[in-house]
Every structure is written in C-alpha cells, then in structure tokens.
Amino acid sequence: GEVYHGEFKDDKKHGFGVSKYENDKLLTYEGYFADNLRTEGKLTLADGSYYEGNFLNNEMNQGILTNEKTGVITEGNWGGCNALNGEVTTTNAIQRCIIKAIFENGHEKTRISEDFY
C-alpha cells in the first residue's frame, strides 16, 4: 500500500508530496508529481540507498544513486526497468576509485576509465 500527503489536481497527485510505501523495495518518495507520476525528487529504497533526480514514467531517469553502506555513488541515466543506460560514473569511497563506463540495459558495455585516488 501507499500513504500520500501532498498536493492534488483533478484527483491525481500533482505538485509536491510525500509517498510512503509498504513493500519490500521502496520506502519513501519526497518530491514532485505530475498526473500521479513521480517527476523529480528523492526515492529511498528498502536497503537504505537513495536516488535523487528526475523520473520518467515513474522510473529513475537521470540522477544519482547513493548507497552509504557500500560507499558507492552512481551517477547517470537509467532506462526502462531502472537499468543504467549511457555514460555512467561510479565512485567507490571504500575502494577509492572512480569508474566511467558506457552501459546498455543495465550491463557495462565499455569501460572508459578507472582512476584510483
């Protein structure tokens, strides 16, 4: 289920709001809606990681996914089913490296660079 607090237009979520979900994948979304769809905001997942950015058709589109437990920050574009697409930058604070790669449908196709700091 979902509990929503926020703005409505024509009986649909529209404008700023907060949704709290009761399932095994999503916890909360805080941000903007248009015609019941997430458009821009912060989505917190059940594992504690969070995505901040734009949404397209209610799915992650362009933004940053942060997992503080693993120290991994992924910045890039997501396509259908929230799979990475295009140029992606991943920063791993624990391994102290930055990887740039090209992804297609969630799979790394070409590694552009791997730098350690």
Side-chain angles (χ1 to χ4, degrees), residues 12-37:
K12 294 179 181 179
K13 293 178 275 188
H14 196 90
F16 187 81
V18 177
S19 284
K20 294 187 185 237
Y21 304 94
E22 295 179 14
N23 64 36
D24 59 352
K25 294 181 182 177
L26 305 175
L27 287 180
T28 60
Y29 170 76
E30 183 174 344
Y32 293 91
F33 291 84
D35 294 321
N36 268 349
L37 299 175

PDB file of all heavy atoms in Angstrom, residues 12-37:
ATOM      1  N   LYS A  12      -5.623  13.694  -8.783  1.00  0.00           N
ATOM      2  CA  LYS A  12      -4.360  12.994  -9.011  1.00  0.00           C
ATOM      3  C   LYS A  12      -3.256  13.696  -8.238  1.00  0.00           C
ATOM      4  O   LYS A  12      -3.314  14.905  -8.031  1.00  0.00           O
ATOM      5  CB  LYS A  12      -4.001  12.988 -10.500  1.00  0.00           C
ATOM      6  CG  LYS A  12      -4.954  12.202 -11.360  1.00  0.00           C
ATOM      7  CD  LYS A  12      -4.523  12.267 -12.806  1.00  0.00           C
ATOM      8  CE  LYS A  12      -5.480  11.501 -13.687  1.00  0.00           C
ATOM      9  NZ  LYS A  12      -5.086  11.563 -15.096  1.00  0.00           N
ATOM     10  N   LYS A  13      -2.223  12.914  -7.839  1.00  0.00           N
ATOM     11  CA  LYS A  13      -1.062  13.518  -7.198  1.00  0.00           C
ATOM     12  C   LYS A  13      -0.435  14.478  -8.198  1.00  0.00           C
ATOM     13  O   LYS A  13      -0.139  14.092  -9.342  1.00  0.00           O
ATOM     14  CB  LYS A  13      -0.049  12.447  -6.792  1.00  0.00           C
ATOM     15  CG  LYS A  13      -0.538  11.535  -5.689  1.00  0.00           C
ATOM     16  CD  LYS A  13       0.464  10.463  -5.355  1.00  0.00           C
ATOM     17  CE  LYS A  13       0.257   9.302  -6.305  1.00  0.00           C
ATOM     18  NZ  LYS A  13       1.049   8.119  -5.978  1.00  0.00           N
ATOM     19  N   HIS A  14      -0.276  15.727  -7.776  1.00  0.00           N
ATOM     20  CA  HIS A  14       0.256  16.739  -8.687  1.00  0.00           C
ATOM     21  C   HIS A  14       0.852  17.868  -7.852  1.00  0.00           C
ATOM     22  O   HIS A  14       0.183  18.407  -6.981  1.00  0.00           O
ATOM     23  CB  HIS A  14      -0.860  17.276  -9.597  1.00  0.00           C
ATOM     24  CG  HIS A  14      -0.343  18.023 -10.781  1.00  0.00           C
ATOM     25  ND1 HIS A  14      -0.067  17.399 -11.971  1.00  0.00           N
ATOM     26  CD2 HIS A  14      -0.030  19.320 -10.941  1.00  0.00           C
ATOM     27  CE1 HIS A  14       0.373  18.301 -12.837  1.00  0.00           C
ATOM     28  NE2 HIS A  14       0.418  19.470 -12.228  1.00  0.00           N
ATOM     29  N   GLY A  15       2.114  18.210  -8.098  1.00  0.00           N
ATOM     30  CA  GLY A  15       2.809  19.174  -7.266  1.00  0.00           C
ATOM     31  C   GLY A  15       3.670  18.434  -6.265  1.00  0.00           C
ATOM     32  O   GLY A  15       4.037  17.274  -6.454  1.00  0.00           O
ATOM     33  N   PHE A  16       3.994  19.081  -5.146  1.00  0.00           N
ATOM     34  CA  PHE A  16       4.888  18.476  -4.161  1.00  0.00           C
ATOM     35  C   PHE A  16       4.131  17.536  -3.235  1.00  0.00           C
ATOM     36  O   PHE A  16       3.015  17.831  -2.815  1.00  0.00           O
ATOM     37  CB  PHE A  16       5.578  19.565  -3.324  1.00  0.00           C
ATOM     38  CG  PHE A  16       6.629  19.011  -2.420  1.00  0.00           C
ATOM     39  CD1 PHE A  16       7.891  18.718  -2.903  1.00  0.00           C
ATOM     40  CD2 PHE A  16       6.343  18.751  -1.096  1.00  0.00           C
ATOM     41  CE1 PHE A  16       8.858  18.179  -2.075  1.00  0.00           C
ATOM     42  CE2 PHE A  16       7.296  18.220  -0.252  1.00  0.00           C
ATOM     43  CZ  PHE A  16       8.564  17.929  -0.745  1.00  0.00           C
ATOM     44  N   GLY A  17       4.785  16.412  -2.913  1.00  0.00           N
ATOM     45  CA  GLY A  17       4.180  15.470  -1.991  1.00  0.00           C
ATOM     46  C   GLY A  17       5.161  14.443  -1.480  1.00  0.00           C
ATOM     47  O   GLY A  17       6.293  14.343  -1.955  1.00  0.00           O
ATOM     48  N   VAL A  18       4.706  13.666  -0.508  1.00  0.00           N
ATOM     49  CA  VAL A  18       5.492  12.582   0.078  1.00  0.00           C
ATOM     50  C   VAL A  18       4.650  11.312   0.045  1.00  0.00           C
ATOM     51  O   VAL A  18       3.522  11.303   0.534  1.00  0.00           O
ATOM     52  CB  VAL A  18       5.904  12.906   1.530  1.00  0.00           C
ATOM     53  CG1 VAL A  18       6.650  11.739   2.151  1.00  0.00           C
ATOM     54  CG2 VAL A  18       6.730  14.181   1.591  1.00  0.00           C
ATOM     55  N   SER A  19       5.229  10.252  -0.541  1.00  0.00           N
ATOM     56  CA  SER A  19       4.580   8.936  -0.559  1.00  0.00           C
ATOM     57  C   SER A  19       5.388   7.987   0.295  1.00  0.00           C
ATOM     58  O   SER A  19       6.619   7.930   0.182  1.00  0.00           O
ATOM     59  CB  SER A  19       4.497   8.374  -1.976  1.00  0.00           C
ATOM     60  OG  SER A  19       3.484   8.997  -2.701  1.00  0.00           O
ATOM     61  N   LYS A  20       4.699   7.247   1.149  1.00  0.00           N
ATOM     62  CA  LYS A  20       5.339   6.188   1.937  1.00  0.00           C
ATOM     63  C   LYS A  20       4.741   4.879   1.462  1.00  0.00           C
ATOM     64  O   LYS A  20       3.526   4.736   1.367  1.00  0.00           O
ATOM     65  CB  LYS A  20       5.108   6.406   3.421  1.00  0.00           C
ATOM     66  CG  LYS A  20       5.803   7.665   3.904  1.00  0.00           C
ATOM     67  CD  LYS A  20       5.734   7.813   5.398  1.00  0.00           C
ATOM     68  CE  LYS A  20       6.341   9.151   5.749  1.00  0.00           C
ATOM     69  NZ  LYS A  20       7.417   9.102   6.654  1.00  0.00           N
ATOM     70  N   TYR A  21       5.628   3.936   1.152  1.00  0.00           N
ATOM     71  CA  TYR A  21       5.211   2.665   0.575  1.00  0.00           C
ATOM     72  C   TYR A  21       5.403   1.538   1.582  1.00  0.00           C
ATOM     73  O   TYR A  21       6.309   1.577   2.407  1.00  0.00           O
ATOM     74  CB  TYR A  21       6.031   2.358  -0.677  1.00  0.00           C
ATOM     75  CG  TYR A  21       5.968   3.454  -1.714  1.00  0.00           C
ATOM     76  CD1 TYR A  21       6.945   4.446  -1.755  1.00  0.00           C
ATOM     77  CD2 TYR A  21       4.936   3.508  -2.636  1.00  0.00           C
ATOM     78  CE1 TYR A  21       6.897   5.453  -2.701  1.00  0.00           C
ATOM     79  CE2 TYR A  21       4.881   4.517  -3.587  1.00  0.00           C
ATOM     80  CZ  TYR A  21       5.857   5.489  -3.609  1.00  0.00           C
ATOM     81  OH  TYR A  21       5.812   6.484  -4.538  1.00  0.00           O
ATOM     82  N   GLU A  22       4.578   0.526   1.470  1.00  0.00           N
ATOM     83  CA  GLU A  22       4.691  -0.662   2.304  1.00  0.00           C
ATOM     84  C   GLU A  22       4.923  -1.874   1.413  1.00  0.00           C
ATOM     85  O   GLU A  22       4.034  -2.669   1.173  1.00  0.00           O
ATOM     86  CB  GLU A  22       3.424  -0.857   3.131  1.00  0.00           C
ATOM     87  CG  GLU A  22       3.183   0.241   4.142  1.00  0.00           C
ATOM     88  CD  GLU A  22       1.906   0.036   4.929  1.00  0.00           C
ATOM     89  OE1 GLU A  22       1.342  -1.072   4.881  1.00  0.00           O
ATOM     90  OE2 GLU A  22       1.469   1.005   5.574  1.00  0.00           O
ATOM     91  N   ASN A  23       6.160  -1.960   0.885  1.00  0.00           N
ATOM     92  CA  ASN A  23       6.544  -3.161   0.146  1.00  0.00           C
ATOM     93  C   ASN A  23       8.024  -3.403   0.382  1.00  0.00           C
ATOM     94  O   ASN A  23       8.670  -2.681   1.134  1.00  0.00           O
ATOM     95  CB  ASN A  23       6.189  -3.065  -1.345  1.00  0.00           C
ATOM     96  CG  ASN A  23       6.950  -1.974  -2.069  1.00  0.00           C
ATOM     97  OD1 ASN A  23       8.111  -1.721  -1.787  1.00  0.00           O
ATOM     98  ND2 ASN A  23       6.291  -1.323  -3.002  1.00  0.00           N
ATOM     99  N   ASP A  24       8.592  -4.405  -0.252  1.00  0.00           N
ATOM    100  CA  ASP A  24       9.968  -4.790   0.058  1.00  0.00           C
ATOM    101  C   ASP A  24      11.014  -4.026  -0.748  1.00  0.00           C
ATOM    102  O   ASP A  24      12.201  -4.248  -0.572  1.00  0.00           O
ATOM    103  CB  ASP A  24      10.153  -6.297  -0.140  1.00  0.00           C
ATOM    104  CG  ASP A  24       9.851  -6.752  -1.553  1.00  0.00           C
ATOM    105  OD1 ASP A  24       9.358  -5.944  -2.362  1.00  0.00           O
ATOM    106  OD2 ASP A  24      10.112  -7.928  -1.845  1.00  0.00           O
ATOM    107  N   LYS A  25      10.626  -3.085  -1.614  1.00  0.00           N
ATOM    108  CA  LYS A  25      11.598  -2.390  -2.448  1.00  0.00           C
ATOM    109  C   LYS A  25      11.680  -0.896  -2.169  1.00  0.00           C
ATOM    110  O   LYS A  25      12.752  -0.320  -2.175  1.00  0.00           O
ATOM    111  CB  LYS A  25      11.281  -2.609  -3.928  1.00  0.00           C
ATOM    112  CG  LYS A  25      11.435  -4.045  -4.373  1.00  0.00           C
ATOM    113  CD  LYS A  25      11.131  -4.187  -5.837  1.00  0.00           C
ATOM    114  CE  LYS A  25      11.248  -5.651  -6.242  1.00  0.00           C
ATOM    115  NZ  LYS A  25      10.896  -5.840  -7.626  1.00  0.00           N
ATOM    116  N   LEU A  26      10.555  -0.254  -1.965  1.00  0.00           N
ATOM    117  CA  LEU A  26      10.520   1.192  -1.802  1.00  0.00           C
ATOM    118  C   LEU A  26      10.098   1.554  -0.392  1.00  0.00           C
ATOM    119  O   LEU A  26       9.266   0.887   0.203  1.00  0.00           O
ATOM    120  CB  LEU A  26       9.519   1.812  -2.782  1.00  0.00           C
ATOM    121  CG  LEU A  26       9.685   1.500  -4.253  1.00  0.00           C
ATOM    122  CD1 LEU A  26       8.525   2.093  -5.032  1.00  0.00           C
ATOM    123  CD2 LEU A  26      10.994   2.027  -4.765  1.00  0.00           C
ATOM    124  N   LEU A  27      10.663   2.636   0.120  1.00  0.00           N
ATOM    125  CA  LEU A  27      10.232   3.128   1.425  1.00  0.00           C
ATOM    126  C   LEU A  27       9.513   4.457   1.304  1.00  0.00           C
ATOM    127  O   LEU A  27       8.367   4.579   1.695  1.00  0.00           O
ATOM    128  CB  LEU A  27      11.420   3.269   2.367  1.00  0.00           C
ATOM    129  CG  LEU A  27      12.016   1.985   2.891  1.00  0.00           C
ATOM    130  CD1 LEU A  27      13.185   2.288   3.819  1.00  0.00           C
ATOM    131  CD2 LEU A  27      10.983   1.169   3.632  1.00  0.00           C
ATOM    132  N   THR A  28      10.192   5.467   0.755  1.00  0.00           N
ATOM    133  CA  THR A  28       9.561   6.783   0.632  1.00  0.00           C
ATOM    134  C   THR A  28      10.004   7.490  -0.645  1.00  0.00           C
ATOM    135  O   THR A  28      11.083   7.242  -1.175  1.00  0.00           O
ATOM    136  CB  THR A  28       9.925   7.715   1.815  1.00  0.00           C
ATOM    137  OG1 THR A  28      11.340   7.900   1.838  1.00  0.00           O
ATOM    138  CG2 THR A  28       9.450   7.162   3.132  1.00  0.00           C
ATOM    139  N   TYR A  29       9.135   8.361  -1.097  1.00  0.00           N
ATOM    140  CA  TYR A  29       9.460   9.284  -2.180  1.00  0.00           C
ATOM    141  C   TYR A  29       9.028  10.664  -1.721  1.00  0.00           C
ATOM    142  O   TYR A  29       7.890  10.844  -1.253  1.00  0.00           O
ATOM    143  CB  TYR A  29       8.731   8.921  -3.480  1.00  0.00           C
ATOM    144  CG  TYR A  29       8.873   9.988  -4.532  1.00  0.00           C
ATOM    145  CD1 TYR A  29      10.056  10.133  -5.239  1.00  0.00           C
ATOM    146  CD2 TYR A  29       7.842  10.877  -4.790  1.00  0.00           C
ATOM    147  CE1 TYR A  29      10.200  11.139  -6.192  1.00  0.00           C
ATOM    148  CE2 TYR A  29       7.979  11.880  -5.732  1.00  0.00           C
ATOM    149  CZ  TYR A  29       9.155  12.002  -6.429  1.00  0.00           C
ATOM    150  OH  TYR A  29       9.305  12.994  -7.368  1.00  0.00           O
ATOM    151  N   GLU A  30       9.936  11.624  -1.823  1.00  0.00           N
ATOM    152  CA  GLU A  30       9.627  13.004  -1.484  1.00  0.00           C
ATOM    153  C   GLU A  30      10.019  13.862  -2.674  1.00  0.00           C
ATOM    154  O   GLU A  30      11.183  13.897  -3.065  1.00  0.00           O
ATOM    155  CB  GLU A  30      10.414  13.434  -0.251  1.00  0.00           C
ATOM    156  CG  GLU A  30      10.097  14.835   0.202  1.00  0.00           C
ATOM    157  CD  GLU A  30      10.788  15.205   1.512  1.00  0.00           C
ATOM    158  OE1 GLU A  30      11.253  14.309   2.218  1.00  0.00           O
ATOM    159  OE2 GLU A  30      10.840  16.407   1.796  1.00  0.00           O
ATOM    160  N   GLY A  31       9.029  14.508  -3.268  1.00  0.00           N
ATOM    161  CA  GLY A  31       9.327  15.318  -4.434  1.00  0.00           C
ATOM    162  C   GLY A  31       8.077  15.716  -5.186  1.00  0.00           C
ATOM    163  O   GLY A  31       6.994  15.819  -4.614  1.00  0.00           O
ATOM    164  N   TYR A  32       8.251  15.894  -6.471  1.00  0.00           N
ATOM    165  CA  TYR A  32       7.185  16.419  -7.315  1.00  0.00           C
ATOM    166  C   TYR A  32       6.519  15.324  -8.130  1.00  0.00           C
ATOM    167  O   TYR A  32       7.162  14.365  -8.553  1.00  0.00           O
ATOM    168  CB  TYR A  32       7.742  17.511  -8.234  1.00  0.00           C
ATOM    169  CG  TYR A  32       8.177  18.713  -7.434  1.00  0.00           C
ATOM    170  CD1 TYR A  32       9.474  18.825  -6.957  1.00  0.00           C
ATOM    171  CD2 TYR A  32       7.269  19.707  -7.107  1.00  0.00           C
ATOM    172  CE1 TYR A  32       9.856  19.913  -6.185  1.00  0.00           C
ATOM    173  CE2 TYR A  32       7.648  20.791  -6.331  1.00  0.00           C
ATOM    174  CZ  TYR A  32       8.941  20.883  -5.880  1.00  0.00           C
ATOM    175  OH  TYR A  32       9.317  21.947  -5.104  1.00  0.00           O
ATOM    176  N   PHE A  33       5.225  15.535  -8.315  1.00  0.00           N
ATOM    177  CA  PHE A  33       4.395  14.632  -9.101  1.00  0.00           C
ATOM    178  C   PHE A  33       3.717  15.422 -10.213  1.00  0.00           C
ATOM    179  O   PHE A  33       3.471  16.620 -10.069  1.00  0.00           O
ATOM    180  CB  PHE A  33       3.281  14.017  -8.236  1.00  0.00           C
ATOM    181  CG  PHE A  33       3.747  13.059  -7.195  1.00  0.00           C
ATOM    182  CD1 PHE A  33       4.192  13.502  -5.961  1.00  0.00           C
ATOM    183  CD2 PHE A  33       3.725  11.694  -7.435  1.00  0.00           C
ATOM    184  CE1 PHE A  33       4.609  12.619  -4.983  1.00  0.00           C
ATOM    185  CE2 PHE A  33       4.133  10.797  -6.465  1.00  0.00           C
ATOM    186  CZ  PHE A  33       4.591  11.260  -5.242  1.00  0.00           C
ATOM    187  N   ALA A  34       3.391  14.744 -11.299  1.00  0.00           N
ATOM    188  CA  ALA A  34       2.539  15.298 -12.346  1.00  0.00           C
ATOM    189  C   ALA A  34       1.630  14.170 -12.817  1.00  0.00           C
ATOM    190  O   ALA A  34       2.114  13.097 -13.205  1.00  0.00           O
ATOM    191  CB  ALA A  34       3.369  15.840 -13.508  1.00  0.00           C
ATOM    192  N   ASP A  35       0.335  14.374 -12.726  1.00  0.00           N
ATOM    193  CA  ASP A  35      -0.648  13.365 -13.141  1.00  0.00           C
ATOM    194  C   ASP A  35      -0.377  11.992 -12.523  1.00  0.00           C
ATOM    195  O   ASP A  35      -0.346  10.978 -13.206  1.00  0.00           O
ATOM    196  CB  ASP A  35      -0.704  13.261 -14.663  1.00  0.00           C
ATOM    197  CG  ASP A  35      -1.226  14.525 -15.294  1.00  0.00           C
ATOM    198  OD1 ASP A  35      -2.156  15.131 -14.727  1.00  0.00           O
ATOM    199  OD2 ASP A  35      -0.698  14.936 -16.345  1.00  0.00           O
ATOM    200  N   ASN A  36      -0.142  11.968 -11.201  1.00  0.00           N
ATOM    201  CA  ASN A  36       0.089  10.738 -10.425  1.00  0.00           C
ATOM    202  C   ASN A  36       1.469  10.116 -10.607  1.00  0.00           C
ATOM    203  O   ASN A  36       1.748   9.063 -10.051  1.00  0.00           O
ATOM    204  CB  ASN A  36      -0.963   9.659 -10.715  1.00  0.00           C
ATOM    205  CG  ASN A  36      -2.118   9.729  -9.753  1.00  0.00           C
ATOM    206  OD1 ASN A  36      -2.079  10.432  -8.749  1.00  0.00           O
ATOM    207  ND2 ASN A  36      -3.168   8.994 -10.061  1.00  0.00           N
ATOM    208  N   LEU A  37       2.360  10.706 -11.401  1.00  0.00           N
ATOM    209  CA  LEU A  37       3.672  10.137 -11.663  1.00  0.00           C
ATOM    210  C   LEU A  37       4.768  10.949 -10.979  1.00  0.00           C
ATOM    211  O   LEU A  37       4.721  12.179 -10.966  1.00  0.00           O
ATOM    212  CB  LEU A  37       3.949  10.084 -13.165  1.00  0.00           C
ATOM    213  CG  LEU A  37       2.995   9.244 -14.004  1.00  0.00           C
ATOM    214  CD1 LEU A  37       3.320   9.394 -15.481  1.00  0.00           C
ATOM    215  CD2 LEU A  37       3.068   7.784 -13.587  1.00  0.00           C
TER     216      LEU A  37
END
